[in-house]
Amino acid sequence: MLVTNYIKSAWRNILRHKLFSIINIMGLAIGLAAVMLIALYVRYETSYDSFWKNADNIYRPHTSYDLEGMDTVSFARMASIQRSFLLKDFPEIEKVTRIMPPFPTPTLSLNNEVYEENVVLVDPEIIDIFDFTVIAGNIENSLKQNNHIILSTTLAKKHFGDDDPIGKTLSMDFNIFSRDYIVGAVIDDVPQNSMLDFTAMALLDENDFGDHPILTNDLWPSSFTYFMTGPSFDIDEFNSKLPEYIDRNFTIRLGVSDNKKSDVITIEALPLKDLHFKSYGEFETKPRNDINTIYIYIAVSFLILLIASINFMNLSTARATLRAKEIGLRKLVGAAKRKLVVQFLSESVVYAFTALLIGLVLVEVSIPFYADIIKLPLTLEYDSYELLGLLILPLIVGLLAGIYPAFILSGLRPASMLKSNQSTTDRSSNKFRNILVIIQFTISTVLFVSTAVIYYQLEHLYSKDLGFNKENLLILPVNNRDTITANKDSLINTLKALPNVESVTTAGFTLASEGSGAAPYYTEQMDAENAKVISYKNVGYDFFKTYDIPIIAGRTYDPARKDMRPTREAIRNGDGYVSSIIVNRSALRNLNLGSPEDAIGTVIYEPFGEADEGLTFQREIIGVIDDLNLNTLKLESQPETYDLNQSYIESITIRFTDSPFNITSDVQKVWENVIPGVPFKYDHVIDKLINQYLAEKGQMTMFAAFSGLAIFIACLGLFGLASFTAERRTKEIGIRKVFGAEVFQIVRMLVFQFSKPVLIANIIAWPIAYLAMSRWLESFVYRIDDMVIIALCLLAGLTALLIAWATVAGNSYAVARKNPIKALRYE
């Protein structure tokens, strides 16, 4: 009964002061909604791979190569051949499975249709390490036979609809081998918040590969390798044993000085649960996240809630002072301080729970848009755990936001409150409210600057000169697929004949993708043992023409000349010759070859084979180009050579003059006519370059949304305070108008009252924003200048001031225009 009375009293106050109630409730609702949205994001990100039954005992090794003359190159995989060595050398490892994503992506043929599907090859132990949910068939028997395949429910539905897929046959082409597979089992889709990523799996049968280096090369990181241990396993102790393991088991020649293998190769195992945040290296299956990003988003959401709570506290304190006479009378007739405190707190809690209900509606409405922005399948689940959190949060917010007015006002002496109708608001109360306004706008300004810096950094990357012309380029992925390589001449000639095609080239890599080869090089002035390891990229004829890359010295590759490198067999048979090579400026500096003009004609040597064979490719430098960024602007340009190679092709690039839509349609018709057995895929270079920074773009969008919310809530509070101030000074305004004050003068007086805390907020916010964003920009090799951050701080300050002026001025103008006679009748 007592609780009901308190709630009724609270609702009466809410309805009595509608404007302040709406401002308070909407501010809290938005703050609570922001916290809930971030909580959904955090829950999803932090639960990666925690659902596997053996998650605490599963680990995955990463491989790094620290080759002289190059930055360290890391991979999220390790060489497939290492599986047997791990089992041999480490008895604490109970099970090991490789998950090999074949390259190129396998094609699946069914009912005269061809599809590219995310099929992986695995060891049978995968079902002992990971607990897949079997929907139909027998997964264990399927992994004992090399002609059985296990489909996910999504893939089974895609190709077989509602029919039972078990026993059905489909054809798979893995490029190295092809086979008809029988569907032996169907499993639930791998959860999206897992670092595992595939839609089907089949047995990794080593006999299918023969002597292919994908299984025999120590340095080829071809598989994700997961191993399971007992509960007493010590990961740090295990990692400390890996250098000796490397020296013992790696046999391939590195082409560098006589260092131990462990001096240039590093393997480190990470727990499965840490992969999403701590994984590193190229070829990861899923986008990683940074735990610091999680902390930032949590902080931002609670800062927004703090702004909303400050609003509530500010307006409640200001408004409650008008209830001084009521409080005084109640205390005179015997109302205990405890009851007054409970009354104020109950009102705050009612406000907070009303805001929670509105916040839930806001969350449900915004989740589809929010999930689309951050590309995650988020849902609000009303289970017991989340429901408990939803109930506790507004209770805490209500109590914290209401604690100041509750204890301050209930502690005032009745005599001082009953002396007049005037509010007991004093200088300390005004000072407190100004401090709260300063905190609000400090937070809002920091978020505003952060959003602006992220935006300008992305614009800086988008507009960065990459060393080539990125406009009007269409890329066709080939991925060294034999079917395409065998028909490349016919395909390229047909593409060149299209009316709006300027040039066509091939490459042994795909622009803006991970991965790069490296080889040792030395000159006549260098000792072969001190060769410099330099990154290389395989390119085709017209590569530099197609990408519009200037040759700053020398020439490009010419089909009429003997530029192609001889084969290893030819050199072993004594039929070798000096071939050609093109290098960038950094490679010249690495090899100490002087200026580009001086380097032309210089012969450099690339050793291969066993050390005692003394075999080398002799390469004459025929051209020099400026440093390029063909992979990512997150890494600095590397010393690099560009080797003419027409046999290994990962992509075909087309420079066109027509509209992107028309050229794509024309190229697709050519592709389907020349290579009908491979699905047509394409990328526009502009899109690929932009897609590299989707994570940063998502961060910018989220920061923009949250900074907008923060500013909106702060302005709500400012509007409420301006309304309160104008209302309290109604008689003063009337007197000023009687004595000739203009409307503009009155508006200016009220506006300037709120300018001071906003200016102070900016002075506090600028160094915080500057330090935070300078730290964030450290992860970029190419970043905006610090002066841009300073300029954005000034812009944010001006914007905040203008927003505050506009918020206060609108309310003040309406008050200042009132008839002074009515104002003098006030109270």
Side-chain angles (χ1 to χ4, degrees):
M1 187 68 178
L2 188 62
V3 174
T4 305
N5 289 336
Y6 279 126
I7 294 175
K8 287 180 179 179
S9 174
W11 270 108
R12 281 195 297 269
N13 265 298
I14 290 173
L15 296 174
R16 188 184 307 148
H17 309 296
K18 293 184 178 64
L19 175 63
F20 291 91
S21 298
I22 291 172
I23 291 174
N24 273 333
I25 291 173
M26 286 308 300
L28 279 177
I30 294 171
L32 289 168
V35 171
M36 285 187 277
L37 287 172
I38 290 295
L40 294 178
Y41 168 75
V42 171
R43 182 192 65 180
Y44 183 89
E45 291 288 306
T46 55
S47 62
Y48 261 75
D49 287 312
S50 61
F51 41 78
W52 302 112
K53 66 182 179 183
N54 299 316
D56 291 328
N57 302 319
I58 301 174
Y59 302 86
R60 193 185 75 188
H62 294 62
T63 311
S64 299
Y65 304 105
D66 188 12
L67 302 175
E68 186 178 356
M70 289 185 63
D71 291 341
T72 300
V73 181
S74 300
F75 299 93
R77 308 176 185 176
M78 71 184 302
S80 291
I81 195 174
Q82 297 300 316
R83 175 180 180 269
S84 59
F85 299 141
L86 286 174
L87 288 169
K88 172 179 67 71
D89 285 19
F90 300 105
E92 59 267 42
I93 294 179
E94 297 177 358
K95 303 282 184 179
V96 180
T97 186
R98 294 166 295 183
I99 300 178
M100 180 189 290
F103 185 82
T105 304
T107 56
L108 182 154
S109 301
L110 184 67
N111 299 327
N112 298 319
E113 296 287 339
V114 181
Y115 312 86
E116 280 194 352
E117 300 292 2
N118 185 14
V119 183
V120 296
L121 299 174
V122 302
D123 293 304
E125 288 79 4
I126 191 170
I127 60 175
D128 299 318
I129 298 176
F130 299 101
D131 46 315
F132 301 105
T133 301
V134 180
I135 305 300
N138 190 311
I139 188 172
E140 186 175 354
N141 288 340
S142 297
L143 287 174
K144 291 179 180 177
Q145 305 175 67
N146 68 359
N147 66 337
H148 278 56
I149 193 169
I150 300 159
L151 306 182
S152 66
T153 52
T154 296
L155 199 61
K157 184 77 173 176
K158 174 182 176 180
H159 293 298
F160 298 102
D162 295 328
D163 295 341
D164 182 7
I166 303 301
K168 300 288 179 64
T169 302
L170 47 82
S171 298
M172 295 295 305
D173 184 356
F174 290 91
N175 201 48
I176 296 174
F177 68 94
S178 58
R179 176 180 295 123
D180 288 341
Y181 281 88
I182 299 169
V183 178
V186 177
I187 59 173
D188 250 347
D189 292 352
V190 175
Q192 286 187 282
N193 57 334
S194 172
M195 296 304 280
L196 272 63
D197 183 28
F198 53 82
T199 56
M201 56 182 176
L203 176 67
L204 198 169
D205 186 349
E206 296 188 358
N207 294 321
D208 289 330
F209 295 88
D211 294 330
H212 195 283
I214 196 171
L215 284 183
T216 60
N217 190 315
D218 287 349
L219 300 182
W220 189 331
S222 55
S223 297
F224 297 100
T225 304
Y226 293 87
F227 62 83
M228 187 175 69
T229 68
S232 60
F233 178 77
D234 187 330
I235 184 62
D236 293 327
E237 181 183 349
F238 174 81
N239 283 330
S240 68
K241 298 177 182 177
L242 288 175
E244 293 181 3
Y245 164 85
I246 292 168
D247 292 329
R248 193 163 51 245
N249 293 295
F250 277 71
T251 59
I252 194 164
R253 182 188 177 195
L254 296 172
V256 292
S257 57
D258 293 331
N259 294 332
K260 295 190 300 182
K261 301 295 189 290
S262 58
D263 288 342
V264 292
I265 301 174
T266 303
I267 297 177
E268 179 188 19
L270 294 178
L272 175 69
K273 285 182 170 183
D274 289 348
L275 293 181
H276 186 55
F277 291 112
K278 296 183 179 180
S279 170
Y280 57 91
E282 298 181 1
F283 304 128
E284 183 56 273
T285 53
K286 295 279 187 74
R288 308 173 180 92
N289 205 339
D290 182 0
I291 192 64
N292 291 323
T293 303
I294 299 295
Y295 294 149
I296 290 171
Y297 286 147
I298 292 173
V300 166
S301 66
F302 278 99
L303 286 175
I304 293 174
L305 186 58
L306 176 61
I307 291 175
S309 301
I310 287 173
N311 266 1
F312 183 83
M313 189 182 299
N314 229 344
L315 294 177
S316 296
T317 305
R319 195 70 196 178
T321 55
L322 300 181
R323 298 167 63 183
K325 182 177 285 188
E326 172 199 340
I327 297 169
L329 288 172
R330 291 185 62 183
K331 294 191 79 171
L332 278 178
V333 297
K337 178 180 177 179
R338 179 179 58 82
K339 287 189 176 181
L340 293 173
V341 169
V342 172
Q343 179 188 342
F344 277 110
L345 290 179
S346 62
E347 288 179 12
S348 298
V349 172
V350 169
Y351 270 113
F353 274 95
T354 305
L356 172 65
L357 296 176
I358 298 173
L360 285 172
V361 174
L362 293 176
V363 169
E364 290 289 2
V365 170
S366 59
I367 275 181
F369 305 100
Y370 178 65
D372 183 60
I373 290 172
I374 61 178
K375 308 301 180 187
L376 295 178
L378 302 182
T379 56
L380 181 61
E381 299 174 4
Y382 294 92
D383 55 28
S384 57
Y385 174 77
E386 289 186 344
L387 185 61
L388 181 63
L390 290 176
L391 293 176
I392 290 176
L393 185 59
L395 180 63
I396 294 172
V397 170
L399 292 175
L400 291 178
I403 199 166
Y404 179 83
F407 282 93
I408 295 298
L409 293 172
S410 63
L412 293 175
R413 301 176 65 180
S416 64
M417 291 186 283
L418 294 173
K419 282 181 180 179
S420 70
N421 286 335
Q422 292 297 323
S423 165
T424 56
T425 305
D426 57 13
R427 290 183 179 178
S428 63
S429 182
N430 286 331
K431 185 181 292 186
F432 177 73
R433 283 198 290 274
N434 283 335
I435 290 172
L436 295 181
V437 171
I438 290 170
I439 295 173
Q440 284 183 312
F441 273 88
T442 298
I443 297 169
S444 301
T445 303
V446 169
L447 291 176
F448 183 96
V449 173
S450 300
T451 303
V453 169
I454 295 172
Y455 171 79
Y456 278 100
Q457 174 62 21
L458 291 181
E459 286 297 310
H460 177 71
L461 293 177
Y462 295 159
S463 60
K464 175 73 177 174
D465 182 9
L466 304 176
F468 63 92
N469 182 0
K470 58 190 175 185
E471 303 292 336
N472 295 339
L473 287 178
L474 184 72
I475 293 181
L476 309 179
V478 175
N479 299 331
N480 201 36
R481 196 184 298 277
D482 290 343
T483 307
I484 304 175
T485 304
N487 294 278
K488 72 176 187 302
D489 292 336
S490 174
L491 178 63
I492 290 172
N493 291 334
T494 309
L495 290 173
K496 285 181 177 179
L498 291 175
N500 295 303
V501 170
E502 285 190 346
S503 60
V504 182
T505 190
T506 61
F509 64 96
T510 302
L511 185 77
S513 298
E514 293 179 321
S516 181
Y521 295 92
Y522 64 93
T523 65
E524 289 184 358
Q525 289 74 35
M526 297 169 58
D527 190 337
E529 291 298 319
N530 296 319
K532 302 289 187 180
V533 177
I534 298 177
S535 172
Y536 70 82
K537 281 185 166 54
N538 293 322
V539 301
Y541 291 111
D542 291 333
F543 175 83
F544 301 97
K545 174 185 176 182
T546 303
Y547 279 86
D548 196 10
I549 300 170
I551 303 292
I552 59 177
R555 64 175 178 86
T556 186
Y557 292 121
D558 186 348
R561 303 199 187 202
K562 208 170 185 179
D563 289 333
M564 191 79 71
R565 186 177 72 176
T567 64
R568 287 173 166 80
E569 290 72 20
I571 294 176
R572 284 192 171 98
N573 295 332
D575 297 327
Y577 55 87
V578 178
S579 58
S580 303
I581 197 165
I582 295 173
V583 301
N584 67 0
R585 284 186 186 269
S586 293
L588 293 187
R589 288 193 293 270
N590 215 14
L591 294 170
N592 197 25
L593 291 178
S595 68
E597 292 75 16
D598 293 340
I600 299 301
T602 301
V603 175
I604 60 176
Y605 303 89
E606 176 190 345
F608 70 93
E610 298 299 327
D612 56 1
E613 290 184 278
L615 301 174
T616 60
F617 293 111
Q618 298 182 49
R619 322 296 300 277
E620 179 187 349
I621 297 176
I622 63 166
V624 180
I625 63 171
D626 274 322
D627 292 351
L628 302 176
N629 287 98
L630 297 171
N631 284 36
T632 173
L633 286 175
K634 294 181 181 179
L635 300 176
E636 198 167 2
S637 298
Q638 296 282 317
E640 204 156 51
T641 67
Y642 302 89
D643 190 9
L644 180 64
N645 189 326
Q646 293 284 81
S647 59
Y648 183 86
I649 301 174
E650 284 194 23
S651 65
I652 295 173
T653 305
I654 304 165
R655 178 165 291 282
F656 60 89
T657 57
D658 201 356
S659 72
F661 177 81
N662 289 340
I663 195 66
T664 302
S665 176
D666 292 343
V667 170
Q668 182 173 3
K669 291 175 184 176
V670 171
W671 181 280
E672 292 174 348
N673 182 51
V674 178
I675 312 173
V678 179
F680 175 71
K681 294 174 67 177
Y682 69 94
D683 279 303
H684 286 280
V685 166
I686 291 291
D687 294 336
K688 279 189 70 68
L689 293 172
I690 290 175
N691 288 341
Q692 291 184 100
Y693 307 104
L694 286 179
E696 287 78 9
K697 187 177 180 182
Q699 289 177 12
M700 182 198 69
T701 305
M702 289 180 69
F703 267 103
F706 286 129
S707 63
L709 289 176
I711 293 170
F712 176 73
I713 296 172
C715 289
L716 272 180
L718 206 58
F719 179 82
L721 279 179
S723 300
F724 170 78
T725 302
E727 181 182 344
R728 299 302 297 136
R729 300 176 70 174
T730 300
K731 185 174 289 187
E732 175 194 341
I733 292 169
I735 294 172
R736 287 177 180 273
K737 290 193 71 176
V738 168
F739 281 96
E742 299 290 336
V743 171
F744 172 75
Q745 292 174 316
I746 295 171
V747 171
R748 184 179 61 185
M749 175 190 70
L750 295 173
V751 166
F752 280 6
Q753 177 181 340
F754 290 97
S755 297
K756 184 177 179 180
V758 174
L759 288 172
I760 294 173
N762 276 278
I763 293 172
I764 297 172
W766 291 344
I768 297 173
Y770 177 83
L771 292 174
M773 297 319 295
S774 293
R775 180 78 177 271
W776 180 76
L777 288 169
E778 287 176 0
S779 61
F780 294 90
V781 175
Y782 305 97
R783 48 165 289 181
I784 57 176
D785 191 82
D786 283 350
M787 290 303 297
V788 177
I789 306 178
I790 294 173
L792 290 173
C793 286
L794 296 173
L795 176 64
L798 180 61
T799 304
L801 198 59
L802 291 175
I803 291 173
W805 284 354
T807 303
V808 176
N811 183 280
S812 302
Y813 180 75
V815 174
R817 289 186 70 248
K818 287 182 179 179
N819 190 324
I821 302 300
K822 293 182 179 180
L824 292 174
R825 288 176 182 169
Y826 182 71
E827 295 184 346

